[in-house]
Amino acid sequence: MSAGAQRGAGGLPREAGGLRASLAGLTTRGRSFLAAGAAAAACAYVLGQSQLLRVGLLLVVLPLICVLALHRTRHRVSGSRRLTPSRVPAGGEARVQLRMENVSRVPTGLLMLQDRVPYVLGPRPRFVLDRVEAGGRREVSYRVRSDLRGRYPLGPLQLRLTDPFGLVELTRSFSAYDTLTVIPRTEPLPPVRMTGEANGYGDGSRRSLALAGDDDVIPRTYRRGDDLRRVHWRSTARYGELMVRREEQPQRSKATVLLDTRHLAYEGAGPDSAFEWAVSAAASTLLHVLEQGFSVRLLTDTGDSAGGEGGGFTSGGQESAEAAGLMMDTLAVVGHSDGSGLAAAHDALRGGAGFAASGGDGLLIAFFGDLDEAQAEMAARMRQRSGGAVAFVLDSATWAGEPPRVKDRLRRLRDAGWTAVSVPPGAPFGELWRQAGNAPLGTGTSGGRG
């Protein structure tokens, strides 16, 4: 559901059991009234006291009238929930607004609302609404926040109705619910040139963010106002209607953000763990390169990708915004994989349609966990398919406060042409990004630690 969208719950659903289920909603006071009324009626019959019989009938009828009234009222209360926004970064807040409307011709009794939310979003919100007049509305709101990324359901909303005498209490639930998506924290990155010098590709000059391309060879139907000089006569003869060549489509520089999610590559858990740092850094990178005009895709060690149609690279305009949302949603729920290597990611890069179309000329930005000798070699071979490659390597030993074990792996990556950066615990990613942008390809930085 888009940010700020509203979902109506409509009338409360009728549940099996009808009046029998409503009778089960009698409170202790209501059952006591029934018992006292039945006892009074029995005594009146035995003693022949007509006045006592009237009292007994009153005590019996009053709870039954309340049951009938609430049974009819519960189907004439509608509600809606409005979640703004529906996608927030970790640590951010979203506002939930509840609206209850009495669509019946009679006022309601006391209403108690409770919305179901996961415990990570805070305590369950509860509200008490006094009498709602016929056709009246009541609005209440609450806020939710989470330091943990993920997708969290909100609802269904529970409504508890009581009569003015406290004799009957009915609890029913709406069927509608919403989903709050908590995406990773992101930070703005400085505008550095990461395309760098591409070993083995031309003269190694700095490549621009958008290069002019050729006309799209697929023609389209003529539209009023099109330049007649763009008429494609061969297609016109073939299809029997006027066809024109499409406008020139610029080729955008491509970038792949690779996230290593292997469980054995990271240690620890929680918002301050190395894996969460990598996820947040990948999210910041994706947003930044999109803003810089790149066509982007997100790739994991399993070979799965998110981005444009069919897992390819994003296009421009509205599609880029939608792809960015899709990739952020993917990172919101990404977890550890059971894989032990990077072979699937290597194969995805090797066979990627985006790289093949441009001769392998693209920017590769990778976030690696622990790399053994075999995986370091696999990562080194990934460099052959990219025009520029930057690796941020998170060493579990460093994050655990032990001496680093990543020096040899960094050296192997740098020898293969990577700009390799060692990530110390809790390092600001913006600073590491700046250091990587200032370092020539094939070199690297320790990120402040060895």
Side-chain angles (χ1 to χ4, degrees):
M1 186 181 66
S2 61
Q6 179 173 314
R7 286 187 179 179
L12 286 169
R14 293 184 179 272
E15 301 184 4
L19 282 174
R20 182 178 300 178
S22 297
L23 285 171
L26 285 168
T27 63
T28 302
R29 180 183 298 177
R31 296 176 188 273
S32 299
F33 267 55
L34 286 178
C43 292
Y45 177 77
V46 173
L47 301 176
Q49 297 292 328
S50 60
Q51 298 296 331
L52 183 59
L53 179 60
R54 294 190 182 95
V55 173
L57 290 177
L58 176 62
L59 294 176
V60 171
V61 170
L62 183 58
L64 297 180
I65 292 177
C66 292
V67 167
L68 182 60
L70 288 186
H71 178 75
R72 293 174 57 86
T73 301
R74 65 174 183 167
H75 302 300
R76 299 181 180 275
V77 178
S78 65
S80 64
R81 179 190 294 105
R82 185 181 181 89
L83 174 62
T84 310
S86 61
R87 182 188 291 122
V88 296
E93 285 190 346
R95 184 170 180 262
V96 183
Q97 185 174 4
L98 304 175
R99 172 183 290 184
M100 304 302 300
E101 182 177 0
N102 180 16
V103 296
S104 68
R105 298 180 179 179
V106 295
T108 68
L110 189 67
L111 300 179
M112 289 174 282
L113 305 180
Q114 176 178 278
D115 210 5
R116 292 185 179 180
V117 299
Y119 72 94
V120 296
L121 299 183
R124 287 187 176 182
R126 294 180 174 88
F127 304 94
V128 177
L129 303 180
D130 292 331
R131 177 178 177 273
V132 180
E133 66 278 5
R137 296 179 180 179
R138 297 290 187 273
E139 292 186 359
V140 293
S141 64
Y142 65 94
R143 295 185 178 274
V144 290
R145 68 181 302 274
S146 173
D147 293 326
L148 301 175
R149 57 187 177 82
R151 291 173 63 85
Y152 303 103
L154 301 178
L157 177 66
Q158 289 184 327
L159 176 63
R160 183 179 299 172
L161 302 91
T162 61
D163 66 283
F165 304 103
L167 303 178
V168 185
E169 184 176 280
L170 298 182
T171 300
R172 297 294 181 265
S173 296
F174 290 98
S175 57
Y177 68 93
D178 293 275
T179 301
L180 175 67
T181 302
V182 181
I183 63 176
R185 290 187 179 92
T186 59
E187 59 178 294
L189 302 179
V192 299
R193 295 298 295 269
M194 303 292 283
T195 46
E197 182 178 348
N199 296 339
Y201 292 91
D203 59 1
S205 60
R206 298 275 180 174
R207 300 181 181 272
S208 61
L209 298 183
L211 304 176
D214 298 328
D215 285 350
D216 194 333
V217 297
I218 302 177
R220 61 169 174 82
T221 305
Y222 173 82
R223 300 170 185 166
R224 185 175 181 179
D226 285 338
D227 190 346
L228 292 178
R229 290 175 297 181
R230 301 189 66 85
V231 172
H232 195 273
W233 295 110
R234 182 179 299 177
S235 298
T236 298
R238 179 180 178 182
Y239 294 103
E241 58 180 324
L242 205 58
M243 307 290 288
V244 297
R245 296 189 303 273
R246 295 179 186 269
E247 297 294 334
E248 182 177 287
Q249 303 293 329
Q251 296 178 353
R252 307 173 75 205
S253 297
K254 296 180 174 63
T256 294
V257 177
L258 172 60
L259 176 62
D260 181 7
T261 64
R262 296 172 299 138
H263 188 275
L264 55 81
Y266 301 92
E267 294 182 6
D272 298 326
S273 64
F275 180 67
E276 292 301 322
W277 188 98
V279 173
S280 295
S284 300
T285 302
L286 285 168
L287 294 181
H288 178 75
V289 293
L290 278 171
E291 291 174 355
Q292 295 300 312
F294 280 79
S295 182
V296 187
R297 69 170 173 175
L298 170 66
L299 183 68
T300 66
D301 59 288
T302 61
D304 297 329
S305 62
E309 183 178 356
F313 291 89
T314 62
S315 299
Q318 182 64 26
E319 184 180 339
S320 264
E322 295 175 356
L326 173 63
M327 289 186 284
M328 290 298 105
D329 289 346
T330 300
L331 290 177
V333 297
V334 69
H336 289 294
S337 70
D338 297 328
S340 59
L342 301 172
H346 175 269
D347 293 342
L349 289 172
R350 184 177 181 181
F355 282 128
S358 57
D361 184 13
L363 176 62
L364 175 61
I365 305 172
F367 298 88
F368 293 123
D370 288 335
L371 297 173
D372 57 23
E373 185 175 350
Q375 301 316 312
E377 181 62 29
M378 183 69 68
R381 292 203 299 269
M382 294 179 187
R383 170 65 181 85
Q384 301 171 3
R385 296 290 300 174
S386 62
V390 182
F392 297 90
V393 184
L394 294 86
D395 179 27
S396 294
T398 305
W399 281 73
E402 302 173 1
R405 303 190 299 258
V406 74
K407 290 183 179 180
D408 292 340
R409 311 306 180 210
L410 292 175
R411 186 178 302 111
R412 178 67 187 92
L413 293 177
R414 292 164 185 167
D415 290 344
W418 285 83
T419 296
V421 180
S422 175
V423 180
F429 180 53
E431 181 59 31
L432 297 181
W433 179 264
R434 181 181 292 105
Q435 293 176 16
N438 294 333
L441 270 163
T443 63
T445 173
S446 63
R449 296 280 294 269

